[in-house]
Amino acid sequence: MGEAISNQTLIIDVEKKRSGFAKGFGRIIAYTIGGFGILLASLLCLTIIGIFPGIGLFFMSIGLIYLAKGKQQVACPHCKKKQPVIQTAENFTCPKCRQLTVINWK
């Protein structure tokens, strides 16, 4: 358990997990495919016929880039529910108890 900022907000220390070479390589590939997908979607949207496939490809590429971000399971100090948190996030709000928690990554 960490220190308390207020009655509702706590600060916790979380050890940042390092990903291996295979996961890091997979993330690079996902970012690359997602970036090319966004480029291709923008080119498709320039034509009248390609607008609908371009919109679909754009959202799939955005989803692929989001999945490639580094996430880690963090337990809420209030209710102990584990949830995925992006490793660059400074805080998160638990969806179960709706309490704000500040994260210190180590």
Side-chain angles (χ1 to χ4, degrees), residues 55-104:
I55 291 172
L57 181 61
F58 176 78
F59 285 117
M60 285 191 296
S61 299
I62 292 293
L64 187 62
I65 290 173
Y66 175 74
L67 289 176
K69 288 197 163 280
K71 294 180 208 65
Q72 183 173 332
Q73 292 287 331
V74 175
C76 174
H78 302 281
C79 66
K80 306 299 184 226
K81 179 183 177 1
K82 288 190 174 186
Q83 66 177 357
V85 176
I86 295 175
Q87 289 182 341
T88 57
E90 294 178 356
N91 56 38
F92 71 94
T93 302
C94 179
K96 183 177 178 184
C97 65
R98 298 181 194 215
Q99 299 296 322
L100 179 66
T101 302
V102 177
I103 302 173
N104 286 333

Side-chain angles (χ1 to χ4, degrees), residues 28-66:
I28 291 171
I29 296 296
Y31 277 123
T32 305
I33 292 172
F36 281 129
I38 289 174
L39 267 167
L40 185 61
S42 63
L43 290 176
L44 281 172
C45 286
L46 292 176
T47 65
I48 294 174
I49 296 172
I51 288 176
F52 291 120
I55 291 172
L57 181 61
F58 176 78
F59 285 117
M60 285 191 296
S61 299
I62 292 293
L64 187 62
I65 290 173
Y66 175 74

Side-chain angles (χ1 to χ4, degrees), residues 5-41:
I5 294 176
S6 68
N7 291 343
Q8 305 295 323
T9 305
L10 294 175
I11 299 174
I12 59 172
D13 295 327
V14 178
E15 186 77 28
K16 190 182 282 192
K17 293 182 181 175
R18 303 287 180 208
S19 62
F21 176 75
K23 284 187 179 181
F25 185 70
R27 288 175 60 189
I28 291 171
I29 296 296
Y31 277 123
T32 305
I33 292 172
F36 281 129
I38 289 174
L39 267 167
L40 185 61

